[in-house]
Amino acid sequence: MRHQRTRYQLSRSSAHRKALLTNLCKEVIQHERIRTSETKAKAVKPELEKLITLAKRGDLHARRQALSALGQDKYTVYKLFEEIAPRYTERRGGYCRILKLGPRRSDSTEMVFLELV
């Protein structure tokens, strides 16, 4: 039974969903702002916030955990730890912002910008 399981399923298998969330996290870290659907943005926001909180710790174990979560992408982890995390040393949470853009023309899916504050 799946009582109290409130994670977004996104109509994907667990492996596909994990890959999607990993790729979206990497894109937000690299570009600092992406355009995506509202449901995907709401699904990736907690994952991204956990990664930034991990990067604020800054130790070797945190870096290895981030490497594991981001698919061994060393450039992205470097940017996360050296450029993004120092910005949020005084901030206790809420590192991401979702800005609504309106529906997509083709299928009326609600589109948003997911960006770092």
Side-chain angles (χ1 to χ4, degrees):
M1 288 187 247
R2 49 180 313 277
H3 299 309
Q4 300 291 324
R5 304 290 294 194
T6 57
R7 179 172 272 181
Y8 287 93
Q9 301 230 342
L10 301 173
S11 299
R12 287 163 171 81
S13 65
S14 61
H16 190 184
R17 186 169 51 248
K18 182 181 176 188
L20 173 75
L21 294 178
T22 300
N23 286 332
L24 285 173
C25 283
K26 285 198 286 191
E27 291 298 315
V28 172
I29 291 169
Q30 288 171 1
H31 302 291
E32 300 187 13
R33 182 181 199 184
I34 61 169
R35 183 174 183 225
T36 185
S37 69
E38 185 176 13
T39 311
K40 287 178 187 175
K42 285 182 178 181
V44 78
K45 186 176 176 183
E47 305 294 324
L48 191 59
E49 302 235 352
K50 286 175 192 170
L51 283 172
I52 294 173
T53 303
L54 195 65
K56 282 172 60 176
R57 259 186 22 214
D59 57 351
L60 180 61
H61 183 56
R63 192 175 288 262
R64 286 180 175 161
Q65 284 177 316
L67 268 171
S68 176
L70 293 174
Q72 303 298 319
D73 189 353
K74 292 180 183 177
Y75 170 74
T76 305
V77 171
Y78 177 81
K79 183 170 182 182
L80 177 65
F81 276 73
E82 303 300 322
E83 296 176 21
I84 293 174
R87 282 191 237 161
Y88 302 116
T89 52
E90 300 298 318
R91 198 174 180 102
R92 297 176 59 106
Y95 313 115
C96 302
R97 174 186 300 145
I98 294 178
L99 297 173
K100 295 189 178 190
L101 297 174
R104 186 164 46 197
R105 231 177 133 168
S106 61
D107 59 356
S108 295
T109 301
E110 193 65 34
M111 297 301 286
V112 298
F113 273 132
L114 176 64
E115 64 183 10
L116 298 175
V117 175

